[in-house]
Amino acid sequence: MADELQETGKKKKLIIIIVAVVVLLIGGGTAAWFMMGDDTPAAVESVNTPAQATKTEPAYYVTLPQPFIFNVTGDKRDRLVQVKVQLMVRGDDNESTAKQHVPLIESTLLQTFGAATVEELRTPNGRVELREKARESVQGALQKVSGRQVVERVLFTGFVMQ
């Protein structure tokens, strides 16, 4: 009886090992198929747009030294808002350009934030729209002085509305 129990235990272990090996082989084969499969034509791959080139450079985050504190108008009363901002840039050149032009960036962001209303800032979508407006404003200002788009994203690292 003990021999039968040992044999059934060995058979169960053998079945588990076989199933594990089959799963690993299937997973490895699938991964290899995805890695080696190539459906894009060679002509498309050789085109290197500026957007693709900047994506390959490392992302750096430039923290603006002071939070922005500004008033926004509302239906019943004005509110005081504090926003801490970081800029996401790609590459060393863009990082140094952003750091060099911090006063211009701060001024541009303060103008953009000052145009916001309480109703916009209450909703998450409104804050997303404000970040997009801020990104566009900063990119436009830096485009004029540096000749290129330096900032990829404007990030709010802190947001308080009182």
Side-chain angles (χ1 to χ4, degrees):
M1 176 122 172
D3 291 335
E4 289 178 14
L5 286 176
Q6 282 181 348
E7 269 194 48
T8 11
K10 288 181 182 179
K11 286 182 183 179
K12 285 183 182 180
K13 287 181 185 178
L14 183 62
I15 291 173
I16 291 173
I17 291 172
I18 290 173
V19 168
V21 168
V22 168
V23 168
L24 286 174
L25 288 174
I26 291 173
T30 304
W33 181 74
F34 277 117
M35 297 284 246
M36 298 176 93
D38 189 6
D39 352 91
T40 57
V44 174
E45 287 179 3
S46 66
V47 175
N48 190 10
T49 63
Q52 290 172 340
T54 58
K55 296 286 185 192
T56 60
E57 294 192 37
Y60 295 106
Y61 296 91
V62 177
T63 303
L64 297 182
Q66 297 177 3
F68 294 89
I69 300 173
F70 54 95
N71 288 321
V72 291
T73 57
D75 290 339
K76 298 180 182 171
R77 66 183 182 127
D78 292 349
R79 303 279 181 145
L80 188 65
V81 178
Q82 178 179 344
V83 179
K84 293 179 184 175
V85 176
Q86 283 188 340
L87 307 172
M88 187 177 105
V89 298
R90 297 254 179 206
D92 294 327
D93 292 339
N94 287 339
E95 180 186 24
S96 63
T97 301
K99 286 181 179 179
Q100 179 183 0
H101 295 291
V102 165
L104 174 66
I105 293 168
E106 287 177 335
S107 173
T108 303
L109 288 175
L110 196 54
Q111 288 175 351
T112 303
F113 293 156
T117 64
V118 171
E119 289 74 26
E120 288 176 331
L121 297 178
R122 279 191 181 146
T123 64
N125 289 339
R127 288 190 291 270
V128 169
E129 289 176 13
L130 181 62
R131 278 196 305 265
E132 287 300 313
K133 287 178 190 175
R135 180 185 57 82
E136 291 169 2
S137 300
V138 169
Q139 281 181 343
L142 290 174
Q143 181 78 32
K144 290 178 184 174
V145 295
S146 70
R148 65 180 190 272
Q149 288 186 347
V150 176
V151 175
E152 187 174 320
R153 292 186 69 190
V154 173
L155 306 167
F156 292 172
T157 57
F159 185 87
V160 178
M161 184 166 54
Q162 300 176 348

